[in-house]
Structures are given as structure tokens and as C-alpha cells.
């Protein structure tokens, strides 16, 4: 018998994240599944200043600096946060 360690769990920082421009800022939660309804208490849009200065945990961890880099670097294809 041999012991195999569990593979590391995926974290929010290594999951894919996407950037998109949207014409409407209303979030439609009508199609949420029960687990989503139970897990998500609310939503709101953040300004860049709010992201940079918040003491809240923001995922992915590199998100607050991303808006400043977009005009210069464009959207990341795959970024190591």
C-alpha cells in the first residue's frame, strides 16, 4: 500500500477569469441555481479606486491592478496573479 497525497485544491486565483465590456450594468440572477442563491448574498459594481483601496478580499488577487494595465497591455490571455 502506498500513500498518494491529494492534489492541491484549485483556488480562486488559478481559475479562469474573463474581462468583458457590457452595455448594461444590471445583473440578472433569474437563472441562478439554488446553490448560487444560497452562496451569493449580493452584487455591485466597483470603481477602480474602490478596488485599489478596499480592505476586503478581492479575487483574483491581481484584479485591483488590472484596470490600470489594460490600456497599456490589453487584456491578459493567461495571467499569473
Amino acid at each position: 500500500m502506498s500513500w498518494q497525497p491529494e492534489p492541491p485544491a484549485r483556488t480562486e486565483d488559478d481559475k479562469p477569469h474573463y474581462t468583458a465590456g457590457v452595455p448594461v450594468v444590471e445583473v440578472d440572477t433569474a437563472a441562478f441555481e439554488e446553490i448560487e442563491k444560497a452562496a451569493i448574498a449580493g452584487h455591485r459594481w466597483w470603481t477602480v479606486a474602490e478596488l485599489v483601496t478596499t480592505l476586503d478580499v478581492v479575487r483574483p488577487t491581481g484584479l485591483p491592478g488590472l484596470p490600470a494595465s489594460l490600456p497599456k497591455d490589453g487584456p491578459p490571455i493567461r495571467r499569473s496573479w
Side-chain angles (χ1 to χ4, degrees):
M1 179 183 226
S2 65
W3 177 78
Q4 295 292 324
E6 290 287 323
R10 290 188 74 186
T11 66
E12 290 299 316
D13 286 344
D14 66 3
K15 293 179 183 174
H17 292 83
Y18 303 94
T19 303
V22 295
V24 178
V25 295
E26 294 179 24
V27 177
D28 181 0
T29 60
F32 272 16
E33 296 179 3
E34 290 304 316
I35 193 168
E36 293 168 311
K37 291 177 185 176
I40 300 172
H43 62 272
R44 71 180 187 92
W45 296 104
W46 293 62
T47 65
V48 173
E50 289 172 328
L51 282 173
V52 171
T53 59
T54 186
L55 298 178
D56 292 341
V57 175
V58 177
R59 295 279 190 251
T61 54
L63 181 62
L66 185 58
S69 70
L70 283 173
K72 180 177 60 119
D73 302 329
I77 294 170
R78 174 121 175 114
R79 183 176 290 238
S80 175
W81 300 98

